[in-house]
Amino acid sequence: MSKEKHKKTNALRILDTHKVPYNISEYEWSEERAAGLHVAEVLGLDEKKVFKTLVGRGDKTGYVVFCIPVAAELDMKQAARVSHNKSVELIHVKDLLGITGYLRGGCSPVGMKKSFPTYFDATMEMQDSVYVSAGLRGMQMQVNPVELAAVVNAEFAALTMDH
């Protein structure tokens, strides 16, 4: 898979270390068009294959990471249940960089400052490959979801409103 002519992010270095193949797709990122659906649209991808990374804080476990399809909404009760919390709240965007090392629009499930419990939506496991942020705004990495889950020790679970 292609690895030339793009900036190496922490996420990509970690995938290299684990010998997980990936492809990179780059696009023009802008604050006004920061939604994940825009990523699918601009790259011409099926929105069911593009996943956004959300970070929450559980009342018992502390920070937790969720990857869900860009067009879906996180089911907060389900998120709490699967992450062994009574409740989970998404963190404020202004706190994202300090907690994860990533900016909104460039938050990858791979390579955060610390390792947090991570959950991937069950629909991710059904795909041959998925797109998640490579750790920079405007850069997506295409990876096998099972291999990605192994790298970040993620569990697959129903996480969205439409399950």
Side-chain angles (χ1 to χ4, degrees):
M1 297 203 165
S2 75
K3 292 188 181 175
E4 59 288 328
K5 293 190 182 97
H6 56 76
K7 190 175 187 307
K8 274 287 184 191
T9 63
N10 258 355
L12 298 178
R13 279 192 278 279
I14 290 166
L15 292 185
D16 288 346
T17 301
H18 288 270
K19 296 183 176 20
V20 173
Y22 56 84
N23 281 315
I24 296 299
S25 296
E26 293 183 278
Y27 59 96
E28 200 64 42
W29 192 91
S30 73
E31 191 68 52
E32 303 78 53
R33 307 278 314 217
L37 269 173
H38 173 67
V39 174
E41 193 181 295
V42 79
L43 292 176
L45 302 170
D46 178 348
E47 65 188 40
K48 290 179 180 67
K49 288 181 152 291
V50 183
F51 288 76
K52 58 188 171 186
T53 303
L54 303 173
V55 181
R57 184 179 197 134
D59 64 327
K60 292 182 177 168
T61 63
Y63 298 116
V64 282
V65 177
F66 303 100
C67 275
I68 65 170
V70 291
E73 204 174 314
L74 184 63
D75 180 329
M76 300 309 281
K77 285 188 174 131
Q78 187 63 4
R81 209 174 4 254
V82 302
S83 65
H84 312 288
N85 286 288
K86 276 195 176 130
S87 66
V88 169
E89 279 184 24
L90 291 180
I91 64 168
H92 291 284
V93 172
K94 66 177 174 46
D95 298 329
L96 193 63
L97 182 62
I99 293 164
T100 66
Y102 290 125
L103 294 167
R104 182 178 80 101
C107 188
S108 178
V110 183
M112 291 189 181
K113 283 182 171 181
K114 290 184 179 156
S115 189
F116 300 116
T118 302
Y119 302 89
F120 289 173
D121 189 65
T123 62
M124 194 186 238
E125 199 172 15
M126 299 171 209
Q127 306 286 346
D128 297 335
S129 69
V130 295
Y131 292 80
V132 296
S133 174
L136 269 185
R137 292 170 166 182
M139 186 188 279
Q140 293 281 304
M141 55 190 186
Q142 178 188 21
V143 292
N144 174 287
V146 175
E147 291 181 14
L148 183 66
V151 170
V152 296
N153 205 15
E155 283 178 42
F156 291 99
L159 295 173
T160 59
M161 297 292 200
D162 48 0
H163 275 277

